[in-house]
Amino acid sequence: MLYLQDDHIREIGIDWKKLTTIIKDVVAIQDSGDCAHPLKPYLRFRDPKNRIIAMPAYVGGNINISGIKWIASFPDNRLKGLPRAHNTLILNKPSSGEPLAFIHSGLLNGLRTAAVSGVMLSQFVKVRQPECLRIHLIGWGPIGRLHLDMCVALFGEWIEEVRIYDLNGVEFETIPGAIQNRTQVINDWRAGYREANVIMTCTVSAERYIDEAPPAGSLLLNVSLRDYKPESVAGVKVIIVDDWREVCREQTDIEQLHLLYNLQESGVHTLADVVLRDQLARVEAQEPVFFNPMGLGIFDIAIAGYYWREALRLQKGVELEGSRLTPPITS
C-alpha cells in the first residue's frame, strides 16, 4: 500500500474548490443511502480529557472508498511541544478489503474540517447574499489558520474585514499576506463578535466563554463545539448539524441545549437539508444560523481517497510492500 504524510499532501496541493466539491458530493451520496458510518467510539484511559477516536466509514457513489480514521487528541501536548492531535487513516478497497493506503497527516484532518465549513459558508453566501463578509475568527491554531486560508481562497473578494482573537496572542506575520491589510488582531473576543456576520470558533477552550446572543443574520461556524454558554444560543432558531447522533453527546453545545433547553433532533436541520433542500432560503434573513459539525468519517475518508488517487497519479508518497520500505516514488 501507499504511505502518505503531510509533506506529500502539500506537494499534491490544496485546492479548496475541489475539497468543498468533494464534501458536497459526499452529502448527496449519504442522503441517497450509499454511505456507512457507525457511531464513533471514544477511547479514554488515565486522564479523561485525552481521547482517541475511531471513525470507520464507507462512501459509495462516484467516490467508492472505505477505511478508518484513528485520531488521538491530547490537549496538554502543547505543553510538551507536540501537536494536540495525531491523525492516521487506513484506506481499504471496498470490493476486497485490501489495504490501499496508510496516511499519517494532521493536515488532512484540518483540511476536512475547513472544507465542511466552506460548504456551509458557501450556502450561507449563496442564500443570504451579504454585501461583504466581516469575519471574526476565535482561535489561531492550525484549524483556525486553515479556515482563514479557505475563506481567502473561496471568498477573497467578499471579505471586507477579518478580526482574529486568540488567548495566547497572534503574531501578525503568520496571517496570509493576501488578507493582512484587511485584518485586525484584537485582544477581546467581543470586539469582533458583535460586528461580524461570520463567526468561527476554532479553539481548545477548557470552558465556555461566549455569553452574548449572536448578531442578527450571522453565521456561527461552531467548529470547536464547546465555546457557547447555553443561554447565549438558547434563542437561536436555525440550528444545523452534520449528524444529530454524533453531535448530541460529549458535552457539546448541542448536548447542553438538549439537556437544559430540551432541544430535540426534530428542532435541527442537517447539512443535507442546507445543501440539497435549500433550507436556509426558508428562514428569515435576520435569523442567526448556528452550525455544529461533529465531524463525520465519511468526509475524512472521501478527502483521504482523493489525495490517495492524486498521489498515484502524480507519483507521490512511499510504497509499502510487506515489511520492506521501498525508496520514495519521488525524491
Side-chain angles (χ1 to χ4, degrees):
M1 59 181 176
L2 191 66
Y3 173 77
L4 298 173
Q5 41 94 345
D6 280 349
D7 287 344
H8 301 127
I9 302 301
R10 293 188 184 96
E11 288 173 8
I12 292 167
I14 300 171
D15 181 341
W16 288 109
K17 288 185 179 180
K18 179 63 179 178
L19 296 179
T20 52
T21 297
I22 291 170
I23 298 298
K24 287 190 283 189
D25 287 346
V26 175
V27 169
I29 294 167
Q30 179 194 27
D31 200 64
S32 75
D34 198 17
C35 283
H37 56 107
L39 194 69
K40 54 191 179 187
Y42 286 64
L43 174 66
R44 286 190 168 90
F45 50 91
R46 295 180 178 172
D47 189 338
K49 69 173 173 289
N50 299 329
R51 58 194 185 271
I52 310 180
I53 309 169
M55 300 167 64
Y58 164 72
V59 182
N62 63 323
I63 294 177
N64 194 37
I65 196 72
S66 57
I68 186 168
K69 174 181 177 179
W70 180 241
I71 182 166
S73 179
F74 283 55
D76 289 344
N77 273 0
R78 63 183 180 83
L79 304 177
K80 308 171 187 176
L82 296 171
R84 171 193 170 99
H86 295 276
N87 184 46
T88 54
L89 301 100
I90 296 175
L91 299 180
N92 299 84
K93 190 174 182 179
S95 61
S96 65
E98 297 171 77
L100 300 171
F102 179 83
I103 305 174
H104 179 204
S105 173
L107 177 58
L108 211 60
N109 179 61
L111 293 179
R112 181 271 295 166
T113 305
V116 171
S117 294
V119 169
M120 186 69 219
L121 182 52
S122 295
Q123 295 299 122
F124 176 82
V125 170
K126 174 184 173 183
V127 173
R128 294 281 173 94
Q129 296 186 344
E131 292 183 1
C132 63
L133 296 179
R134 299 182 302 279
I135 295 173
H136 180 36
L137 174 57
I138 306 177
W140 190 238
I143 300 297
R145 297 181 191 203
L146 285 171
H147 270 73
L148 186 55
D149 288 345
M150 174 273 293
C151 289
V152 172
L154 298 181
F155 310 100
E157 295 181 359
W158 289 70
I159 299 173
E160 179 182 84
E161 181 183 55
V162 176
R163 296 188 182 184
I164 305 175
Y165 171 76
D166 190 288
L167 192 63
N168 297 314
V170 176
E171 295 180 1
F172 198 79
E173 59 269 21
T174 62
I175 299 168
I179 201 71
Q180 282 186 358
N181 63 348
R182 288 173 280 168
T183 300
Q184 294 183 46
V185 175
I186 55 178
N187 57 15
D188 183 347
W189 66 264
R190 292 176 178 82
Y193 183 82
R194 293 169 178 170
E195 299 178 10
N197 57 7
V198 177
I199 298 164
M200 302 185 289
T201 49
C202 302
T203 76
V204 292
S205 178
E207 296 181 357
R208 291 173 170 84
Y209 56 93
I210 296 179
D211 55 5
E212 297 186 11
S218 59
L219 171 63
L220 313 180
L221 294 172
N222 191 22
V223 178
S224 39
L225 296 171
R226 299 169 184 87
D227 291 69
Y228 289 86
K229 292 187 176 182
E231 60 271 20
S232 70
V233 285
V236 175
K237 299 177 183 178
V238 186
I239 299 176
I240 313 296
V241 301
D242 50 6
D243 185 286
W244 173 265
R245 296 180 312 144
E246 291 284 8
V247 78
C248 190
R249 60 186 183 132
E250 291 292 325
Q251 301 182 358
T252 64
D253 294 339
I254 292 295
E255 186 185 36
Q256 291 297 301
L257 290 175
H258 171 65
L259 295 174
L260 299 177
Y261 292 93
N262 198 34
L263 179 68
Q264 302 294 325
E265 184 175 7
S266 59
V268 306
H269 299 283
T270 66
L271 190 57
D273 292 329
V274 171
V275 173
L276 303 176
R277 291 177 280 277
D278 212 15
Q279 180 60 40
L280 293 185
R282 300 189 179 98
V283 299
E284 296 182 4
Q286 72 268 20
E287 293 290 345
V289 177
F290 191 33
F291 181 46
N292 291 260
M294 189 64 156
L296 302 184
I298 51 177
F299 297 138
D300 291 281
I301 295 303
I303 295 291
Y306 161 73
Y307 276 102
W308 166 67
R309 292 185 173 102
E310 285 295 284
L312 294 179
R313 184 177 69 85
L314 299 172
Q315 295 188 316
K316 302 292 184 181
V318 179
E319 291 182 346
L320 304 179
E321 183 178 352
S323 61
R324 302 193 310 276
L325 278 175
T326 64
I329 293 175
T330 58
S331 59

